[in-house]
Amino acid sequence: MTTDAQASTELKRVAALRQGIRTVAAYAFKINLLGLNALLLAKRYGANARGFGVISSELRDFSKVLHGEMATLGESGGHLIDLESQRLKMARQVALISQTCAALAHCGLEGALAQKRQIGEQVGKRVEQEHEQMRENMARAYQACLYGSVLARSAQIEAAYAGAHGNALTLASQEFTHYIDDILDSLESLKKAIGERG
């Protein structure tokens, strides 16, 4: 695969990553709204739903943490696109200078060629650092989501204690669980995508 093809593949991969990150961020927003609605329901149903209200508040906090991690990952994705574009530019410049030097016996561009290669290597190191940062952020987001999953299942238990009003709370808790399960699936895909680089 040529350098241009590799860079193009990498840019497409990073763009797909960013789309996956936006999807998870959208789920985090939905959980926050659902948590607010669940808090209002819990207040309406009184003492029997107090535990459900506490868990709903914690799920809102979780959604904010998750949204923050996705924002950080999104920024890293933007940095990666910039860095990969720089790396592609340097590779093209190196190729052009190399072709020129090959065509001319004494092109006088050896210094420029060495400089462009050095810049390309530096950009490559920055790409690796950005990938490592993304893996760390993804690990934190995944751990937060596992905690959110426990909270969602606890919400189902608390909904059962709400007596006659339990049906509305059960539906809300099931929605929490559904969103978080979808997020976990998305995060698994993102973890794989971050690890699979060209």
Side-chain angles (χ1 to χ4, degrees):
M1 191 182 289
T2 66
T3 302
D4 280 9
Q6 288 172 329
S8 176
T9 299
E10 184 64 10
L11 287 170
K12 286 177 187 173
R13 189 188 67 77
V14 174
L17 265 175
R18 292 185 78 195
Q19 182 56 47
I21 290 165
R22 283 192 287 274
T23 299
V24 173
Y27 274 123
F29 181 74
K30 289 177 184 179
I31 289 172
N32 193 0
L33 287 180
L34 181 60
L36 179 60
N37 288 336
L39 275 170
L40 295 174
L41 276 175
K43 284 185 181 184
R44 184 185 313 162
Y45 297 149
N48 287 347
R50 190 171 293 135
F52 186 84
V54 169
I55 290 173
S56 296
S57 180
E58 288 185 34
L59 279 161
R60 288 190 75 208
D61 291 342
F62 149 73
S63 74
K64 292 172 188 173
V65 168
L66 183 62
H67 193 273
E69 292 293 347
M70 292 302 106
T72 302
L73 280 166
E75 287 175 20
S76 290
H79 295 159
L80 275 176
I81 287 176
D82 291 342
L83 290 168
E84 290 296 347
S85 296
Q86 287 177 37
R87 187 155 62 172
L88 176 59
K89 179 181 172 184
M90 286 302 114
R92 287 177 177 168
Q93 289 176 0
V94 165
L96 286 173
I97 294 170
S98 295
Q99 288 171 0
T100 302
C101 287
L104 303 171
H106 301 286
C107 69
L109 296 174
E110 289 80 8
L113 181 60
Q115 181 185 24
K116 296 295 180 187
R117 284 185 173 143
Q118 184 180 18
I119 292 170
E121 288 171 11
Q122 290 169 350
V123 171
K125 287 177 185 174
R126 289 173 55 203
V127 166
E128 286 304 314
Q129 290 169 351
E130 204 65 54
H131 276 288
E132 183 57 34
Q133 185 64 46
M134 287 184 86
R135 283 190 289 274
E136 290 172 11
N137 284 87
M138 186 58 66
R140 283 195 301 272
Y142 194 80
Q143 287 302 312
C145 205
L146 290 176
Y147 175 66
S149 182
V150 171
L151 288 173
R153 280 157 180 71
S154 297
Q156 289 179 340
I157 294 167
E158 289 298 329
Y161 291 122
H165 306 295
N167 286 341
L169 300 181
T170 297
L171 289 174
S173 66
Q174 288 171 346
E175 210 169 341
F176 280 131
T177 301
H178 174 72
Y179 286 153
I180 292 172
D181 287 347
D182 285 348
I183 291 169
L184 283 168
D185 289 344
S186 294
L187 290 178
E188 283 289 348
S189 296
L190 287 170
K191 279 169 59 175
K192 288 177 187 170
I194 288 170
E196 295 169 357
R197 303 194 305 282

